[in-house]
Amino acid sequence: MALNIILYLIEFFKVFLICFFVIKLKLKNRKVVIAGFLISIILVSTISLIIKGEIDSIIWSIISILTIFTFMSNKKKIGIVIFSDIAICIIDMMFGAFTMFLGNISPEETLNNPLMEIGINSISLVIIIIISYISKNNSKMVNNYYVSTKYLLGFIIGGIALATYITSIQWFEFDNGQKN
């Protein structure tokens, strides 16, 4: 259960920092944020008790998106939150592939070692904390970016293609490792 809560907190804080410190979405009042966060922790704990073992990170991403949605004062910008989470997942996959390459670690070892999963996810969390700090303290940064739908769609398709490519390479290597 503690492992699932740690994995959820890492996912949650990555999306939260990007949405509210880098992109600068507006938050509701502090009481709503604290109550929503505590309810999400209770939900994660309950799911962890019902489903024994480690739970897939997509569940934590969905709960993070829904929790952040409750914090937002402008509900029309939910697409930004979803896009941010997809971008974070792609970055996590790239860090995972890079870590496996550098450490000569198989995907099976990564999947079976929860501490390694926490470590890989924490790498991007540290980078996001640094970016959030720079973004928060940099008054010269432009707050309102406009990206056309065509470019946004191109980024999403490119990210999905990159993620599919990296995942296929990982699984191909995983299959070759099991045959040997």
Side-chain angles (χ1 to χ4, degrees), residues 80-142:
I80 294 172
V81 177
I82 294 171
F83 179 72
S84 298
D85 188 59
I86 290 170
I88 290 168
C89 289
I90 291 168
I91 291 169
D92 284 342
M93 282 189 275
M94 288 191 291
F95 276 127
F98 188 69
T99 304
M100 285 187 274
F101 175 74
L102 282 182
N104 199 16
I105 303 166
S106 71
E108 182 182 53
E109 291 172 323
T110 306
L111 292 173
N112 292 332
N113 189 348
L115 294 177
M116 192 172 297
E117 184 178 356
I118 290 172
I120 291 170
N121 281 334
S122 296
I123 292 170
S124 59
L125 178 63
V126 170
I127 291 171
I128 290 171
I129 288 171
I130 293 169
I131 291 170
S132 298
Y133 180 76
I134 291 169
S135 174
K136 182 181 177 194
N137 293 326
N138 190 357
S139 60
K140 296 177 185 175
M141 191 170 193
V142 179

Side-chain angles (χ1 to χ4, degrees), residues 7-19:
L7 288 170
Y8 167 71
L9 289 174
I10 291 171
E11 289 296 322
F12 173 80
F13 283 121
K14 287 191 286 191
V15 178
F16 182 83
L17 289 171
I18 290 292
C19 288

Side-chain angles (χ1 to χ4, degrees), residues 47-109:
I47 291 172
S48 296
L49 288 174
I50 293 171
I51 302 172
K52 302 293 185 206
E54 188 179 343
I55 299 171
D56 195 27
S57 63
I58 190 74
I59 302 295
W60 306 142
S61 292
I62 291 170
I63 294 173
S64 295
I65 289 171
L66 292 175
T67 304
I68 300 240
F69 181 69
T70 62
F71 296 171
M72 294 171 47
S73 60
N74 186 357
K75 304 289 187 203
K76 293 179 182 176
K77 296 189 176 186
I78 188 67
I80 294 172
V81 177
I82 294 171
F83 179 72
S84 298
D85 188 59
I86 290 170
I88 290 168
C89 289
I90 291 168
I91 291 169
D92 284 342
M93 282 189 275
M94 288 191 291
F95 276 127
F98 188 69
T99 304
M100 285 187 274
F101 175 74
L102 282 182
N104 199 16
I105 303 166
S106 71
E108 182 182 53
E109 291 172 323

